[in-house]
Structure formats: structure tokens, C-alpha cells
Amino acid sequence: MTTHPDFLKYVSEHADKFIQRLSDAVQIKSVSGDAAYRSETIAMGHWLEKQLKALGVTTVVRDLGQQTLQGQRLDLPPAILGKLGDDPKKKTVLIYGHYDVQPALQSDGWATDPFTLVEKDGKLYGRGSTDDKGPIMGWLNVLEAHQAQRLDLPVNLRFCFEGMEESGSEGLDELIEKEVAEGEWFKGIDCVCISDNYWLNTRTPALTYGLRGIAYFAINVSGPGQDLHSGLFGRMVHEPMTDLIKLMSKLVDHNGHILIPGIEAMVPPPDDDEIKLYTKMDYSIADVAEAAGASIALSDHKETVIMGRMRNPSLSLHGIQGAFSEPGAKTVIPSKVAGKFSLRLVPPQTPDSVIPLVTAYIESEFAKLNSKNKMDVEYLHGGKPWVADVNHWNFEAARKAIEAVWNKSPDYTREGGSIPVTLTFAEKLGVNVLLLPMGRADDGAHSTNEKLDVSNFIEGTKVLGMYLYEVAQLAGTA
């Protein structure tokens, strides 16, 4: 089945309207990891529900409970569930996305206000433009194009949009488990489509069949009863920051090798056939430099770099809470500091399998310091890795849609990032889960000057719509 031509025409002719909808969404500061923005994050959920209802979707707002964040007891942002269509002759596709975003301040290095969408040189700059508000708006665009022209959708749709993905998806797994066991919103799902990742480069669309998991930790070190003056107490006391820096230096080397015993050994090496898959990919070391903004790849061999992102674990140091980081010079000895780091996990690793290794290793390294400070290792959140069957009709439908819009075949990738709910859907629903990226490798998700190319937003909307038609065709219901 080919997509209805009126759908494609409508999307092309209403690009400006769709960009304005994305602008409205970006303007809402839905930063889930900062208590100061919790009300706006919740407001974003209700804004999204209103948009869905206006497009004919039956919705329900699901309360996910509360959490303690930055010393405050806060309501979790709600999950927005929706349904459109109940034709037993049609396949039913579940769409997932998240409406929360990473923190962003213009002082971090943004060229413009991160919460004001700015179009420049064919690119849309703004926090959440590519992760994940752009793709969610893409689905709304698909719905509008069909509603406005009174076109029947070729499949039944179900929606699950959350507001805590950037902060561990708290409460979502429990909701999914309950709905699968007792509810009606996830009944009869035939496949899942998630658009929350990126092409491998800036040229070739991708389909993603694997994700790394994550285990996020904090090393908490404390000593003095309060912050101290370095001129009065320097070289007189054990300093928490000194201990922390020493411990963090023991986690990973400058070539990316994880120093925690047993972590790397969990993963079997690739065979020749697997390496050939990476050799075939449309990717180069120059793509790393373009996406990273500098020539800083760990290797000159593309296969090594690709495996570092897709099929090998990694450990990254993220920051130090409690340390002085403002402009100027402050001669303080912090009384307590927390070093944040995470492991990206690949099969057969899981958070449960690495937590004991991480904790025991850091505790043993701290003991070697003979410090009088106190230290504990805190596990903050995590998720398992995931791999799907690329020969399923769900992936075939997405491939055909990409080829029709972009006139080229997609790369099949395993993504370096983590979307924990992917595995939850696969396990609890027992169906194929597809990752269908909208954005490019250089979009800068989680970074300053995050962007989404206009072409990816508009042509990506067409891909999403055509994918639904291909699902109907391949599933034999067209």
C-alpha cells in the first residue's frame, strides 16, 4: 500500500504550521531532573494531552505517584495514554515518546535562548527539538494531516507519552505492568514504534535494533562539618574533593577502557561476521569529528569506533556535585562532594550484574587511601540493554517507508544510548519493538545548541505516516 498522496501533500504544504507547534512545545521548560521546573513539566504533559484530544485521540492522564528530588516531595509528571481506532481488521501500533527534556541554560554555551525555537540555515535550534519533542510533534502532524482531510488511518494507534525519561522513567514500568495485567490501553498491541534516537551520520537514515543499558552512580565523599578555608585548613585535613578525584581517576583510562575488574570480561569479543556488519555501514572517522565538533575519536579504525558506541560497554564521568564551578576564584574546601558517572551496558550485562562489581571496587580503592573521610557508592538509576529481530515485518515496514521518502536504504544500527522502556515493552507486551529515528547524528541531543533539521522534521513526519501504511500492507490488512 502506498501512502495517500493527499497526506504527503498536506505535510509539505503545512511545514510552517508544524514548526510553530514544535516551537510551542519547546517553549515549555519541561526539565524533569530539576525540582524548580516540575510544574512546567507537568504542564507540558497536560498541553500534550490537549493536543491529542483535539486530533481525535481518546486520552487518559495516569498519575505515577511521587518522588523526592532535591529535598522536596514532588508529584511525578503524568503518563499520557491515548487510543485512536478499534478496527479488529487492522493492526494496532503503540507509539512511545517522552515530553521531558535535559536541563539547559544559555550561559552553558547556547547561542540563543534554549527554550525559544530558532530557525536558522534550515535548522531548528531549541532544547527538546530532536530529543524528543520533535518526533512527538511528528506524530501529531501525521494525525492532523489525516484528520484535516478526513483520511482513515491504515492502522489502530495507541500512545504512551511520559515525562520522566531523562530522569530514569520513574513509575513507568509499574504503569505498563499494571496496564498489561489489568487495563485496556495496551490490549491487542501488534508492534511498538519509538522515535527517540538518531541517524549514525548526517547522510543516511537508520533503523535501530539495539540499545545499550545504563547504570548511573554517585560516589559520595564527606568529611568536615562545613566548608573550610583552604588557607586555614589546606594540608591540615583530609579533603573530600581530593579523595573523590583520586577515586574517579581509577574508573576509566584515557582510551576508554573500563578499569573496574570484571566489567569488560562479561562481553564476548566480536567474530568476523559481526565485524563485517560494521565495515558495511555508511560511517567514517570524519563523521565522528562532525558530530563531536572536533577530531577526537579514540581510534582511526571505523569498526573500533562503531563497536565502542554500539556493542561494547563504556564508562563516562559526568560531573561533581558540591564543587565550586562558578566564574572567578573561590578558595574553599568543600565539606562534601558527589562524583557522578555512568556505565553503558551491553548484553549480557545488566545493572544487577555490575552494581556489586562497581561498589566493591570503589570501596577497595577508597580503603587504600587511608582517608578519615566517609565514602559511599550510590546507585541512582539504570536499565537493561535491548536487542530486537530486524527480520520482523515491523522493521520491513519502516525500511520501505524510509526508502520511499529518502530514496536510500537505511543503516541498521545498535544505539549507544539507553531507553529503558524499550525492553519493558518488548518483555511485557511480547511484541517487536522498532526504533525509527527522526534526527541526525549532529543534532546535539543533551548538549548545547540542540537542533533538528527542518528537512528531518518534515520528511521525518512523512516517514512516520508512510510507516503506518506499510505496516498495514505487510500485515495483510490493507
Side-chain angles (χ1 to χ4, degrees):
M1 172 184 276
T2 57
T3 304
H4 199 293
D6 288 346
F7 163 73
L8 298 175
K9 181 180 179 182
Y10 187 94
V11 173
S12 295
E13 292 178 348
H14 291 79
D16 289 344
K17 181 179 181 181
F18 294 160
I19 291 172
Q20 182 58 51
R21 175 185 282 134
L22 177 57
S23 177
D24 294 342
V26 167
Q27 189 173 359
I28 303 173
K29 301 175 182 179
S30 51
V31 180
S32 60
D34 190 333
Y37 295 102
R38 180 51 53 89
S39 62
E40 289 205 56
T41 307
I42 292 173
M44 177 67 206
H46 290 292
W47 179 90
L48 179 56
E49 189 222 3
K50 184 177 179 181
Q51 293 281 318
L52 289 166
K53 290 177 72 173
L55 293 168
V57 179
T58 301
T59 62
V60 64
V61 177
R62 283 283 190 259
D63 180 12
L64 298 181
Q66 293 187 319
Q67 70 167 156
T68 300
L69 179 65
Q70 297 163 349
Q72 302 180 49
R73 194 65 181 163
L74 302 171
D75 290 333
L76 288 168
I80 311 300
L81 305 182
K83 65 168 61 176
L84 184 59
D86 273 311
D87 188 340
K89 296 180 181 180
K90 296 179 179 180
K91 289 295 183 182
T92 300
V93 181
L94 173 62
I95 307 300
Y96 164 86
H98 67 90
Y99 59 82
D100 64 319
V101 299
Q102 285 279 313
L105 297 172
Q106 190 163 353
S107 59
D108 293 336
W110 284 75
T112 58
D113 177 358
F115 294 102
T116 299
L117 193 72
V118 174
E119 183 176 353
K120 182 180 180 181
D121 299 327
K123 297 174 174 60
L124 302 168
Y125 292 92
R127 177 56 90 221
S129 56
T130 194
D131 182 23
D132 186 37
K133 292 180 177 180
I136 289 179
M137 297 307 110
W139 287 114
L140 298 186
N141 299 343
V142 170
L143 297 182
E144 179 185 318
H146 283 79
Q147 182 194 63
Q149 300 176 102
R150 298 183 179 181
L151 301 175
D152 287 334
L153 285 164
V155 298
N156 304 313
L157 290 176
R158 300 294 181 266
F159 299 93
C160 178
F161 296 131
E162 67 156 321
M164 281 293 288
E165 193 274 344
E166 301 290 5
S167 300
S169 292
E170 285 199 43
L172 187 63
D173 280 2
E174 294 80 2
L175 172 68
I176 294 171
E177 292 176 8
K178 183 176 181 181
E179 283 295 329
V180 170
E182 305 172 7
E184 298 182 358
W185 293 88
F186 295 155
K187 295 292 186 183
I189 301 295
D190 293 298
C191 64
V192 179
C193 182
I194 298 173
S195 186
D196 186 24
N197 65 309
Y198 318 95
W199 297 0
L200 190 59
N201 53 41
T202 61
R203 304 176 301 278
T204 306
L207 288 175
T208 300
Y209 65 95
L211 291 168
R212 292 195 291 189
I214 188 172
Y216 200 109
F217 297 88
I219 304 174
N220 303 304
V221 183
S222 61
Q226 64 279 328
D227 290 352
L228 303 177
H229 191 303
S230 66
L232 300 179
F233 289 94
R235 205 165 179 174
M236 286 186 67
V237 300
H238 288 278
E239 299 187 16
M241 180 75 85
T242 304
D243 290 352
L244 178 61
I245 296 298
K246 187 69 173 179
L247 293 175
M248 295 185 78
S249 74
K250 297 289 187 177
L251 299 175
V252 62
D253 72 16
H254 67 287
N255 287 316
H257 296 118
I258 299 170
L259 301 178
I260 302 169
I263 299 292
E264 299 266 18
M266 290 180 176
V267 184
D271 58 26
D272 291 341
D273 289 337
E274 183 180 353
I275 292 176
K276 289 177 182 178
L277 293 176
Y278 305 128
T279 301
K280 292 178 182 178
M281 288 185 181
D282 180 15
Y283 198 67
S284 69
I285 299 302
D287 290 319
V288 182
E290 181 180 3
S295 298
I296 54 175
L298 287 175
S299 171
D300 292 330
H301 300 285
K302 86 170 191 178
E303 293 85 356
T304 300
V305 173
I306 290 174
M307 287 191 292
R309 169 172 169 166
M310 293 186 184
R311 67 96 59 205
N312 290 330
S314 66
L315 191 153
S316 298
L317 308 177
H318 302 302
I320 297 177
Q321 183 177 334
F324 173 64
S325 61
E326 300 299 323
K330 184 178 181 182
T331 56
V332 65
I333 298 173
S335 62
K336 57 182 179 180
V337 286
K340 307 292 182 69
F341 72 95
S342 69
L343 282 159
R344 296 288 179 169
L345 310 176
V346 298
Q349 296 170 326
T350 65
D352 286 344
S353 69
V354 302
I355 289 171
L357 298 178
V358 171
T359 302
Y361 174 70
I362 295 175
E363 287 177 346
S364 69
E365 290 299 315
F366 181 70
K368 295 175 184 178
L369 301 180
N370 293 317
S371 173
K372 294 181 180 178
N373 289 319
K374 296 178 180 179
M375 189 280 302
D376 70 85
V377 181
E378 182 181 4
Y379 171 67
L380 297 177
H381 68 80
K384 298 177 183 178
W386 158 82
V387 177
D389 176 13
V390 297
N391 296 313
H392 192 276
W393 52 258
N394 196 22
F395 277 83
E396 181 69 6
R399 179 188 66 80
K400 287 179 173 289
I402 286 173
E403 290 175 347
V405 173
W406 292 107
N407 296 314
K408 59 172 59 179
S409 297
D411 282 328
Y412 286 83
T413 68
R414 287 169 60 176
E415 186 59 78
S418 303
I419 310 174
V421 73
T422 306
L423 185 64
T424 304
F425 281 134
E427 290 182 342
K428 301 303 178 184
L429 297 175
V431 300
N432 185 270
V433 180
L434 158 79
L435 264 65
L436 179 55
M438 175 179 279
R440 304 186 184 204
D442 64 346
D443 280 355
H446 291 207
S447 186
T448 53
N449 301 310
E450 177 184 345
K451 62 84 178 172
L452 176 65
D453 287 57
V454 173
S455 60
N456 283 64
F457 185 45
I458 300 306
E459 299 307 296
T461 292
K462 295 177 183 178
V463 168
L464 297 180
M466 293 191 75
Y467 156 74
L468 300 180
Y469 283 87
E470 294 296 345
V471 164
Q473 174 71 31
L474 290 167
T477 60

